[in-house]
Amino acid sequence: MVFQEGERLHLGAEAEVWAGHWMGRPAVRKQRRARSWRHPDLDHRLGHRRMMSEARLMVRMHRAGLQVPALLDLDPAEGVMVMERIPGRPLIEVLRDASMSSGQLQYALQSTGAAIRNVHRLAITHGDLSTNNVLIDDQGNATLIDFGLAVIDYEVERFGIDLHVIDEILGASHPGVENAIEHLLNGYAAEEERQGPPADQTGGAVPTSVEVLERLENVRTRVRYHG
Ligand SMILES: Nc1ncnc2c1ncn2[C@@H]1O[C@H](COP(=O)(O)OP(=O)(O)OP(=O)(O)O)[C@@H](O)[C@H]1O
Ligand SMILES: [Mg+2]
């Protein structure tokens, strides 16, 4: 692979991510790490499947015109994926940055909501919506990354759960940012108003933003009463 390695961006349990260049373009290489506690064969199969699925969904979103990293190269047998490098820093850092104005935070959160809705409109649920998996550029615009747990779905439940995950994280990890989830949900709803009802996808009708927001309320209630 013609990837020129720069600095390491991330060393996690599942993946090691390096910044660098691919054919002269700013790129990142995501290398799956072996998980020693699983049998090597099983580990290989799971990792292979996850990376194939992540790559396939990234291509689907990119073709649909979404702002997601372009896939540049893929070697699933080696557990390696090269993609376009997205400028910016994770939402978690932006929310902890005391120099950000409340207007800037509000914009970044609304943009995050809009980005989530655009993914949902393609019948794709993210599956791991943490503030680490949203990148915010200098203008405050959000891009979602890390689609290793994303799936295509038409039932409203998983869409509601996506929003509930980020709701819980914003409440627990960023309690100082006022009305964070409200700004995000406003952006989610506004994106649908801007674009109109979602187009049917190959598997049928996609839940509307109103249906997903109702389901979020329902999930919140269930969690409150049953923990
Ligand atoms: N396309 C990209 N452009 C810029 N930075 C990226 C890109 N992809 C990943 N990163 C950086 O690398 C980090 C980890 O990537 P990613 O979230 O895809 O891995 P992960 O599956 O969460 O790994 P682990 O589960 O081991 O933590 C991101 O939080 C982000 O900071
Ligand atoms: Mg991640």
Side-chain angles (χ1 to χ4, degrees), residues 40-114:
D41 288 349
L42 175 65
D43 192 65
H44 194 259
R45 283 203 304 277
L46 283 176
H48 187 280
R49 203 180 307 151
R50 227 176 116 170
M51 189 162 267
M52 286 298 289
S53 154
E54 176 168 24
R56 193 180 307 120
L57 292 175
M58 277 172 59
V59 169
R60 182 190 275 245
M61 290 183 280
H62 199 257
R63 287 204 181 127
L66 260 62
Q67 162 70 17
V68 290
L71 184 69
L72 300 175
D73 206 346
L74 180 66
D75 187 345
E78 291 296 319
V80 180
M81 200 164 99
V82 178
M83 66 187 121
E84 174 192 1
R85 182 172 186 183
I86 301 294
R89 54 193 179 133
L91 178 60
I92 188 168
E93 279 180 33
V94 173
L95 294 175
R96 286 178 179 159
D97 181 347
S99 75
M100 298 294 284
S101 70
S102 60
Q104 284 173 312
L105 292 182
Q106 181 174 334
Y107 185 90
L109 287 160
Q110 281 171 348
S111 177
T112 301

Side-chain angles (χ1 to χ4, degrees), residues 164 215-227:
H164 187 250
R215 181 55 64 111
L216 169 63
E217 271 313 316
N218 173 286
V219 176
R220 280 171 168 167
T221 309
R222 271 155 38 201
V223 169
R224 219 172 289 137
Y225 288 100
H226 305 287

Side-chain angles (χ1 to χ4, degrees), residues 4 42 81 103 115-116 120 126 152-153 157 167 196 221-222 227:
Q4 268 128 22
L42 175 65
M81 200 164 99
I116 297 169
H120 281 182
H126 184 281
I152 295 181
D153 201 352
E157 177 73 7
D167 178 17
T221 309
R222 271 155 38 201

Side-chain angles (χ1 to χ4, degrees), residues 9-10 25 32 44 92 96 98 100 114 165 170 177 182 186 188 195 207 220 224:
L9 292 179
H10 174 81
R25 297 166 66 173
R32 280 198 43 83
H44 194 259
I92 188 168
R96 286 178 179 159
M100 298 294 284
V165 167
L170 289 173
V177 182
E182 284 75 17
N186 284 344
Y188 187 90
Q195 294 196 50
R220 280 171 168 167
R224 219 172 289 137

Side-chain angles (χ1 to χ4, degrees), residues 108-187:
L109 287 160
Q110 281 171 348
S111 177
T112 301
I116 297 169
R117 186 56 201 163
N118 276 316
V119 169
H120 281 182
R121 284 170 66 90
L122 294 178
I124 297 171
T125 56
H126 184 281
D128 190 16
L129 274 180
S130 75
T131 46
N132 276 305
N133 290 334
V134 181
L135 298 179
I136 305 291
D137 71 14
D138 286 346
Q139 279 72 50
N141 294 308
T143 301
L144 305 189
I145 57 164
D146 196 0
F147 291 92
L149 293 175
V151 292
I152 295 181
D153 201 352
Y154 292 87
E155 297 290 331
V156 70
E157 177 73 7
R158 220 190 278 253
F159 294 81
I161 298 281
D162 253 359
L163 295 182
H164 187 250
V165 167
I166 192 125
D167 178 17
E168 298 263 277
I169 290 171
L170 289 173
S173 307
H174 308 281
V177 182
E178 254 173 63
N179 303 325
I181 188 65
E182 284 75 17
H183 296 318
L184 187 149
L185 298 178
N186 284 344

Side-chain angles (χ1 to χ4, degrees), residues 205-218:
V206 180
T208 64
S209 63
V210 172
E211 288 166 340
V212 179
L213 291 167
E214 277 170 13
R215 181 55 64 111
L216 169 63
E217 271 313 316
N218 173 286

